[in-house]
Amino acid sequence: MVFGLKGLKELVTRRTLAISPAYDGIHQSIVHDFRGRKTAGKKSAMEILDESCLAYRSTYDGRIKAVRHALDYPRKTPLMICPQQYIYAIPTKAPTDYDCIWLFCQHIESTSTTEGITYVHFTNGEKLAINCSESVLTKQRERAAVTMTHFSTIPTISSMNRHETELFLPGFQSTLHNLDEFGAHL
């Protein structure tokens, strides 16, 4: 559950399959979800993604900057919207391009090309025509997999050879190095 953004209609969740551009002259984007619903919205994909990143305690720019800092993906950078819930998206084109489609990795089952059109097949049985080649999509999926792996294996305090019972707060030095010592004083 995400709290704190009242009135946010277009929120990316684990059930989001894709965000594609709208071409009806009224809406800017279409959010595709796992139930097969397609919700047209007046916000752009970038606005939806940024507001969703904010709901998950960051910003679009912050998430992109973190991935670019850790990995060498200066263009079409995978977006980790919420690493704790494994919500990652990949763009089919430059994110600033109106025609960019954002695909959510956990729902991509396979891809195919028929009569020169590339399709993404999702785990719910839906299929979406996309505006890049299968090879570009494969590269984007590989980048997303590397990004997910990298950010799911960030060292924890305990893995950095700290005692799990030791308190570690910046500017605070604990005199208790072992909880057994603490119990012995009681």
Side-chain angles (χ1 to χ4, degrees):
M1 187 84 185
V2 180
F3 301 98
L5 290 178
K6 295 178 183 174
L8 184 62
K9 292 179 185 176
E10 297 98 357
L11 175 68
V12 168
T13 68
R14 289 200 40 80
R15 301 186 65 77
T16 306
L17 299 177
I19 302 174
S20 60
Y23 298 102
D24 63 9
I26 299 169
H27 300 96
Q28 290 192 54
S29 61
I30 300 170
V31 178
H32 305 255
D33 76 14
F34 193 78
R35 291 186 181 151
R37 290 183 297 198
K38 295 169 182 71
T39 306
K42 293 189 178 182
K43 293 180 181 177
S44 70
M46 294 297 287
E47 290 171 314
I48 293 168
L49 293 168
D50 190 44
E51 288 179 4
S52 295
C53 287
L54 283 169
Y56 294 110
R57 310 298 185 250
S58 189
T59 62
Y60 173 91
D61 291 334
R63 296 289 194 198
I64 292 294
K65 188 174 182 180
V67 172
R68 287 180 178 166
H69 177 76
L71 306 164
D72 188 26
Y73 303 145
R75 292 188 176 91
K76 292 194 273 187
T77 307
L79 176 62
M80 59 170 178
I81 296 165
C82 182
Q84 296 82 3
Q85 293 186 34
Y86 294 97
I87 303 174
Y88 289 78
I90 51 175
T92 59
K93 292 185 164 205
T96 55
D97 189 328
Y98 184 80
D99 292 330
C100 179
I101 299 171
W102 286 88
L103 303 169
F104 291 78
C105 305
Q106 71 269 24
H107 297 294
I108 299 173
E109 186 170 276
S110 63
T111 60
S112 66
T113 302
T114 305
E115 297 179 8
I117 300 171
T118 304
Y119 294 92
V120 172
H121 302 268
F122 295 106
T123 56
N124 69 345
E126 297 280 323
K127 163 172 113 167
L128 179 66
I130 59 169
N131 50 17
C132 69
S133 67
E134 278 190 83
S135 62
V136 167
L137 186 57
T138 297
K139 182 177 181 179
Q140 286 298 90
R141 290 178 73 191
E142 289 169 355
R143 287 175 161 198
V146 169
T147 303
M148 284 185 230
T149 301
H150 177 81
F151 285 96
S152 69
T153 58
I154 293 175
T156 62
I157 291 174
S158 61
S159 70
M160 295 188 302
N161 294 328
R162 292 200 181 274
H163 298 289
E164 288 187 30
T165 57
E166 181 179 343
L167 294 176
F168 179 75
L169 298 171
F172 176 79
Q173 190 65 0
S174 174
T175 57
L176 296 175
H177 296 289
N178 187 338
L179 284 181
D180 293 335
E181 292 174 16
F182 179 72
H185 296 291
L186 293 179

